[in-house]
């Protein structure tokens, strides 16, 4: 076999190095996010246990608590939707429409001719 071109060797080494670096970064990101989510899950479980112990009915089942949380989430979703719709209903800074004298008179042919001839 003949000798391999030096540029080809260097290109292969560079591409292999980049793939390795990207793989290492993805692995680090995956491990970090997994640890963060695991920590967040532990905190939410602790919070849930504390909430169950503080509630007046401490013998509430986990199913009932989940049902209450689901209702709260739906209620919050509805409230957020209402707030967004109210905000969209407000007309802030709506520009006034100004019609040309030709358009006010109903003479649209001159307007169409002006658009055809730039």
């Amino acid at each position: 076999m003949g000798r391999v071109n030096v540029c080809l060797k260097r290109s292969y080494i560079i591409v292999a190095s980049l793939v390795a670096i990207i793989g290492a970064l993805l692995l680090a990101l995956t491990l970090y996010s997994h640890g963060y989510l695991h920590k967040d899950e532990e905190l939410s479980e602790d919070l849930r246990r504390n909430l169950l112990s503080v509630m007046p009915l401490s013998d509430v089942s986990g199913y009932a608590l989940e049902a209450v949380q689901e209702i709260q989430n739906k209620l919050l979703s509805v409230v957020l939707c209402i707030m967004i719709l109210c905000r969209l209903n407000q007309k802030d800074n709506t520009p006034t429409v100004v019609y040309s004298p030709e358009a006010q008179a109903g003479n649209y042919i001159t307007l169409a001719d002006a658009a055809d001839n730039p």
Side-chain angles (χ1 to χ4, degrees), residues 61-78:
S61 68
Y63 176 74
L65 182 64
E66 288 175 8
V68 169
Q69 287 175 344
E70 183 178 337
I71 291 170
Q72 286 177 343
N73 287 339
K74 287 182 181 179
L75 182 63
L76 285 174
S77 299
V78 169

Side-chain angles (χ1 to χ4, degrees), residues 79-94:
V79 169
L80 286 175
C81 288
I82 290 172
M83 288 175 57
I84 290 170
L85 288 174
C86 289
R87 181 70 181 144
L88 289 174
N89 197 22
Q90 295 176 353
K91 295 182 179 178
D92 296 336
N93 300 328
T94 304

